Amino acid sequence: PDYYFYLNQSGCSRVDGTDAAAGWRDTLQALSVIGITDQVQMEMTKLVAAVLHIGNISFREEANYAKVLAEDFLQFPSFLLGLSPEDIAAKLTSRTMRSKWGAQTENIDVLLNVRQAEAARDAWAKSIYDRLFQFLVAQLNKALHTTSNQQLLTMGVLDIYGFEIFEKNGFEQLCINYANEKLQQHFNEVIFEMESQVYAQEGVPSAAIEFQDNSRCV
């Protein structure tokens, strides 16, 4: 984990009591269960690896513009994504601006500074990661879909854990933590309190469920 820039930002790459290897095996098994083939799993793994390697691309300033600091770090993203290193470097250090004069349209390449290049790199990594996540959601929905008369299958996922293990939280992480805690509070109210009231009104026997109230945290 120390090799990857993105994995070093939290200040914590290992968590006591967590078996990363076992979690990885469970993940692969779960992907197989919802019908994702080994070949597609490999492509997904390549995308995650590409995101990590993209984070290692850094820049230097040359005549007020950004240049890739070490071109060796372009090789792995190039291999994993099927792109040329030259195209990656060009797209991370420049952007295309379209200018229109009357009926004519002209494309102009605008060079980026180091800060803008870093922002472009991170935006690219986030976009790849987001598209992979959306693909997983679509595959899960596809696996749960049924055309028979069976009851519609649904799965709700509330992911709120993991953020509290960071040693340092910036403003962005604070916003994430707050949103997560508000989601947990809403979940508690709907599932544990409102549903229990419905059970009581309809005379459905149910055991009392103890849960941690996070109102003070919010």
Side-chain angles (χ1 to χ4, degrees):
D2 296 338
Y3 177 77
Y4 298 102
F5 174 73
Y6 285 153
L7 297 186
N8 291 326
Q9 299 310 292
S10 66
C12 178
S13 59
R14 291 178 176 81
V15 181
D16 293 339
T18 299
D19 188 340
W24 175 243
R25 290 192 295 269
D26 291 342
T27 299
L28 294 180
Q29 182 182 7
L31 292 175
S32 298
V33 167
I34 65 173
I36 297 180
T37 65
D38 291 345
Q39 180 180 357
V40 175
Q41 289 182 33
M42 177 59 69
E43 295 300 320
M44 293 170 57
T45 305
K46 288 167 65 176
L47 288 176
V48 175
V51 168
L52 293 176
H53 284 288
I54 288 170
N56 283 359
I57 300 173
S58 56
F59 306 92
R60 59 182 172 84
E61 186 174 304
E62 184 176 300
N64 297 325
Y65 298 115
K67 295 288 185 180
V68 174
L69 179 61
E71 295 187 358
D72 289 349
F73 287 104
L74 298 173
Q75 299 303 318
F76 269 118
S78 170
F79 166 73
L80 293 166
L81 298 175
L83 303 172
S84 74
E86 294 77 17
D87 285 344
I88 294 176
K91 290 301 180 182
L92 292 182
T93 57
S94 66
R95 64 182 176 88
T96 301
M97 183 175 68
R98 181 168 295 177
S99 176
K100 189 171 184 179
W101 296 90
Q104 295 183 340
T105 301
E106 182 182 7
N107 292 333
I108 304 173
D109 288 332
V110 180
L111 298 178
L112 306 179
N113 59 35
V114 170
R115 186 173 180 180
Q116 292 170 329
E118 291 174 345
R121 174 201 63 194
D122 295 341
W124 184 33
K126 289 177 182 179
S127 176
I128 294 173
Y129 195 86
D130 174 66
R131 293 181 188 204
L132 178 58
F133 183 83
Q134 296 299 333
F135 169 78
L136 275 175
V137 172
Q139 290 298 114
L140 182 59
N141 288 336
K142 181 180 177 181
L144 292 173
H145 179 69
T146 176
T147 57
S148 67
N149 294 326
Q150 297 176 350
Q151 184 177 0
L152 180 65
L153 300 175
T154 60
M155 177 180 294
V157 180
L158 178 64
D159 179 11
I160 63 163
Y161 295 108
F163 55 85
E164 68 273 11
I165 64 175
F166 292 134
E167 293 180 1
K168 294 182 179 180
N169 287 332
F171 178 72
E172 180 182 10
Q173 191 62 46
L174 175 65
C175 293
I176 294 171
N177 292 356
Y178 178 68
N180 285 336
E181 290 293 349
K182 287 290 288 185
L183 281 171
Q184 178 65 65
Q185 187 180 53
H186 178 69
F187 180 86
N188 291 344
E189 292 175 352
V190 172
I191 300 300
F192 296 134
E193 297 179 3
M194 296 173 62
E195 286 294 318
S196 296
Q197 293 175 7
V198 173
Y199 279 27
Q201 292 172 1
E202 297 183 354
V204 178
S206 61
I209 301 176
E210 295 184 2
F211 64 92
Q212 185 176 352
D213 186 0
N214 67 335
S215 298
R216 286 185 63 189
C217 181
V218 172

